[in-house]
Amino acid sequence: CNLHVAVSSLSASNNSRLYSCVLDKHLDPPRTRAQEEEVVSAIVLHALMDGNDEGILREELLMGSEHVSTDTISTQATAALATETSATSDVERAIQSVHDKECRAVLLFPSMEGDNGEMLVSPHPILPNDCIVFPGSFNPVHSGHVMLAKAAVDKVLQTKNSNSNPKQKQPSVVFEMSMHNADKPPISVDDARRRIEGFMALLKEQQHDQDTNSLIQ
């Protein structure tokens, strides 16, 4: 890869703001480590001042195609939990925030703790390293999706094991569902919730299958 990416996050009561700084590794002449740290320090200060830095990120710090992008992730639903008595769940609020384009993405993951298990919301949509992204409509999710995901995992492990890494950790699989599609109507909040509930139902059906359990979790 020809890029370094430094990310700084600023969390407030109603949102988290991510500042992503893309640094080119192949400048001529290349930056020294100290110069890279100067840029990253400026990004941190930029975040702490919530973007109102009056020139902390000087133009001479960024070169060529380098840039800083800002992404705001709504955390209003999380902050409201202390006082809100509505029956609306964290998952529904997360789905609504994506539907309303308040944030670009949310990351959900299943927990089988308790009697019925539940889907939980990750505070930041940061994907695990070396994960496999499996896009689809999942309307509904079914065992065929699981079989395809298992096949992808097996292929990745087979490829990496052949490269003299016999103890390669099983990669995570992230199922990606887009609520806004270029050539289809948006998915409603209720429909998205129904499809997500399908993942929990599938996990419960196959909870005695250790491979499926580890794959979906």
Side-chain angles (χ1 to χ4, degrees):
C1 181
N2 293 332
L3 298 174
H4 276 320
V5 180
V7 178
S8 182
S9 173
L10 176 70
S11 295
S13 60
N14 62 339
N15 63 53
S16 292
R17 193 163 295 172
L18 299 180
Y19 295 88
S20 302
C21 179
V22 180
L23 300 179
D24 192 336
K25 291 168 55 180
H26 294 280
L27 293 174
D28 186 18
R31 279 193 181 91
T32 64
R33 179 62 179 268
Q35 289 172 328
E36 287 187 346
E37 290 179 352
E38 181 184 7
V39 176
V40 173
S41 296
I43 293 296
V44 173
L45 291 174
H46 182 77
L48 288 173
M49 299 189 71
D50 205 12
N52 300 314
D53 51 78
E54 295 296 333
I56 288 176
L57 275 173
R58 304 186 306 276
E59 289 187 6
E60 60 266 27
L61 287 178
L62 302 181
M63 304 178 186
S65 61
E66 295 176 341
H67 64 277
V68 177
S69 60
T70 305
D71 190 16
T72 300
I73 302 171
S74 174
T75 55
Q76 292 180 344
T78 303
L81 287 177
T83 56
E84 188 173 306
T85 58
S86 169
T88 303
S89 70
D90 285 354
V91 171
E92 287 177 298
R93 285 190 287 269
I95 296 171
Q96 187 72 56
S97 68
V98 176
H99 180 273
D100 295 343
K101 298 185 178 181
E102 294 177 358
C103 66
R104 294 168 58 186
V106 293
L107 183 62
L108 309 177
F109 58 95
S111 170
M112 295 308 293
E113 295 183 2
D115 295 334
N116 299 315
E118 62 179 335
M119 195 69 76
L120 302 178
V121 183
S122 172
H124 300 296
I126 300 175
L127 300 182
N129 291 332
D130 297 327
C131 70
I132 297 173
V133 178
F134 187 160
S137 60
F138 306 113
N139 188 27
V141 64
H142 51 73
S143 58
H145 293 118
V146 175
M147 293 173 64
L148 284 172
K150 286 181 180 179
V153 169
D154 290 344
K155 183 63 176 178
V156 169
L157 290 176
Q158 180 183 8
T159 301
K160 292 191 174 182
N161 288 344
S162 66
N163 293 330
S164 302
N165 191 5
K167 295 184 179 179
Q168 176 66 35
K169 182 180 178 182
Q170 175 173 306
S172 301
V173 176
V174 176
F175 295 91
E176 178 190 42
M177 181 176 66
S178 175
M179 295 191 68
H180 299 276
N181 194 297
D183 55 0
K184 297 179 182 178
I187 299 175
S188 69
V189 173
D190 288 342
D191 195 11
R193 184 182 66 246
R194 176 185 59 80
R195 300 185 196 189
I196 291 169
E197 289 171 350
F199 281 93
M200 288 302 303
L202 183 64
L203 184 58
K204 291 173 186 176
E205 288 176 7
Q206 303 192 30
Q207 60 183 337
H208 299 300
D209 182 341
Q210 187 173 357
D211 289 340
T212 300
N213 245 315
S214 62
L215 182 69
I216 297 182
Q217 292 187 31

